């Protein structure tokens, strides 16, 4: 199976002034494409090694599948998590669940912002199917710190390439900008799909 880079669900300049056209172009067309290419290359290596019954290069390829595969999946979610019409706060079932599991939207947001400040990769809101609750998690790189059995609901990329051109070292300003374009309808749909599977 060959993986492909999906197009952005909006124009490259659609999230301005919060995220610039230049950052979206670099981030999507170069960085995200790199993860797609890395995943495809690793899959090809594994396929060749299986056919040759020679597994000397398979360990690195297996790690590359995890790193690049997670990079591709999380970036795809990140793009879908944003919209030119985004912002505000969640409503409906997701809003009620955030209040139930975190105490309030403000408590969730404060914890999520802390995760975004601590991560060397991603801050995620996930549905933890093992404990049947929402959680914020810190994921370093693309695949270190993920929680088994969890389903991403909201993803924020805090690698420096996602914000440094626009905000310099002020990561917190980028996190604020992200909240101005969050597409809560998309996150709510992902939450409802996860709950339907496991509750």
């Amino acid at each position: 199976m060959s993986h492909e880079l999906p197009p952005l669900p909006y124009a490259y300049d659609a999230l301005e002034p919060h995220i610039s056209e230049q950052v979206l172009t670099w981030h999507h067309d170069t960085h995200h494409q790199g993860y797609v290419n890395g995943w495809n290359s690793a899959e090809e290596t594994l396929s060749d090694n299986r056919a040759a019954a020679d597994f000397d290069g398979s360990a690195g390829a297996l790690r590359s599948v995890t790193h690049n595969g997670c990079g591709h999946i999380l970036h795809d979610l990140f793009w879908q998590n944003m919209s030119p019409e985004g912002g505000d706060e969640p409503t409906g079932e997701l809003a009620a669940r955030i209040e139930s599991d975190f105490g309030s939207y403000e408590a969730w947001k404060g914890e999520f912002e802390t995760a975004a400040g601590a991560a060397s990769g991603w801050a995620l809101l996930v549905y933890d199917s093992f404990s049947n609750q929402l959680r914020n998690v810190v994921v370093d790189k693309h695949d270190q710190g993920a929680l088994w059995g969890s389903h991403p609901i909201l993803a924020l990329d805090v690698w420096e390439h996602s914000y440094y051109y626009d905000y310099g070292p002020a990561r917190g300003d980028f996190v604020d900008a992200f909240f101005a374009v969050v597409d809560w309808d998309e996150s709510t749909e992902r939450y409802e799909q996860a709950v339907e599977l496991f509750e």
Side-chain angles (χ1 to χ4, degrees), residues 156-192:
L156 171 57
D157 185 346
V158 291
W159 288 73
E160 287 185 352
H161 61 244
S162 66
Y163 66 88
Y164 220 86
Y165 179 84
D166 288 339
Y167 295 96
R171 184 189 291 190
D173 290 347
F174 169 65
V175 174
D176 291 341
F178 173 73
F179 278 106
V181 294
V182 168
D183 184 350
W184 285 111
D185 290 341
E186 170 71 19
S187 297
T188 298
E189 184 176 338
R190 289 182 179 276
Y191 165 71
E192 291 173 351

Side-chain angles (χ1 to χ4, degrees), residues 16 52 72 88 143 166:
E16 290 188 337
H72 174 40
D88 296 321
D143 50 359
D166 288 339

Side-chain angles (χ1 to χ4, degrees), residues 3 10 32 39 44 60 77 88 95 115 128 131 159 162 165 169 186:
H3 305 284
Y10 32 75
H32 190 171
W39 193 1
E44 183 177 348
L77 176 58
D88 296 321
D128 170 8
S131 301
W159 288 73
S162 66
Y165 179 84
E186 170 71 19

Side-chain angles (χ1 to χ4, degrees), residues 90 93-115 124-128 132-137 153-154 184 191:
E93 291 185 30
L94 179 58
R97 190 59 178 268
I98 286 173
E99 184 167 346
S100 173
D101 288 351
F102 293 93
S104 67
Y105 171 78
E106 291 74 19
W108 167 78
K109 185 178 179 185
E111 187 177 284
F112 187 84
E113 290 172 336
T114 299
L124 302 177
L125 171 64
V126 302
Y127 174 73
D128 170 8
N132 187 29
Q133 68 181 80
L134 293 175
R135 293 187 187 277
N136 290 317
V137 295
I153 304 300
L154 181 71
W184 285 111
Y191 165 71

